[in-house]
Structures are given as C-alpha cells and as structure tokens.
Amino acid sequence: YDKKVKSDPNITAEELNEYAWKMFEECDDKDALKVALTWSKIAVERNEVEYIIDTYANLLYKLGDAKNAILWQEKAVSITSEDRREELQTSLDKMKKGEKTW
C-alpha cells in the first residue's frame, strides 16, 4: 500500500482511508500501523467525514493513544448519520472502557 500511496499524487481520501482501515484490521505491527496512521491523517485533512475520522480514531487507539482516539471518535459520532451512530458509538464505548475495537 505504501508504494501505491507514494507513487500516486492523485490518490483520494477514500483510497487512503481504505488502505488505512485494512491495515487497522489486519496488522499488529506498530511501525506499519504508524504508516497507516499517516495515510489516515492525510485522508482526514482532505475529507473530514465520519467514516474517515473513525479510521483515524481507531488507528490512534490501536497504537495506544486512547485520549486522542476518544476525542476523534466523539467527533465521528457527533457528525454521523443516525443509521451509523450506533456502530460508531459502540467503538467509542469500547475505547472508554479500554476494550479492543478490532
């Protein structure tokens, strides 16, 4: 993924988010997750929508930054549509309890 991200100047926020989410779900290597976090941060800067913010928050959380993860997840919950709110709220509740979201 990193090669694709670095070689494509027109990569979209949605593509960055997709790659970052796959890394979140499938990877436990901290260095690789830090790379995914940089992709996710760029995605948030380009398109601050709830599902992209959710990815960023979850990566922060998996990397051990619970405080900032909770802040970002609260933002995702606050701007999401009603049909996604429960899913995002569940992740937020797990973060607050110190439970895994992955």
Side-chain angles (χ1 to χ4, degrees):
Y1 293 127
D2 199 38
K3 184 178 178 182
K4 168 78 172 148
V5 169
K6 289 178 178 174
S7 68
D8 185 356
N10 298 314
I11 195 164
T12 66
E14 291 74 17
E15 289 171 310
L16 287 166
N17 185 68
E18 180 183 336
Y19 300 157
W21 185 255
K22 285 184 181 190
M23 292 291 288
F24 166 75
E25 287 187 312
E26 299 173 7
C27 181
D28 290 321
D29 179 88
K30 294 266 187 201
D31 291 332
L33 289 170
K34 287 176 184 175
V35 172
L37 182 67
T38 63
W39 306 335
S40 187
K41 183 176 182 187
I42 294 166
V44 168
E45 290 168 352
R46 292 184 184 175
N47 191 3
E48 208 168 288
V49 295
E50 80 284 344
Y51 69 93
I52 292 177
I53 294 171
D54 174 61
T55 300
Y56 185 63
N58 275 282
L59 280 163
L60 285 167
Y61 187 70
K62 194 168 186 177
L63 284 164
D65 188 355
K67 180 180 176 183
N68 282 313
I70 289 168
L71 292 174
W72 281 100
Q73 192 67 16
E74 287 173 340
K75 181 171 187 166
V77 170
S78 75
I79 65 171
T80 196
S81 59
E82 191 62 39
D83 62 322
R84 290 229 38 230
R85 186 162 286 122
E86 184 177 340
E87 174 188 351
L88 298 180
Q89 183 65 48
T90 297
S91 290
L92 177 59
D93 293 343
K94 286 181 178 182
M95 289 177 186
K96 288 181 176 181
K97 293 176 185 176
E99 298 173 356
K100 288 184 176 184
T101 61
W102 58 95

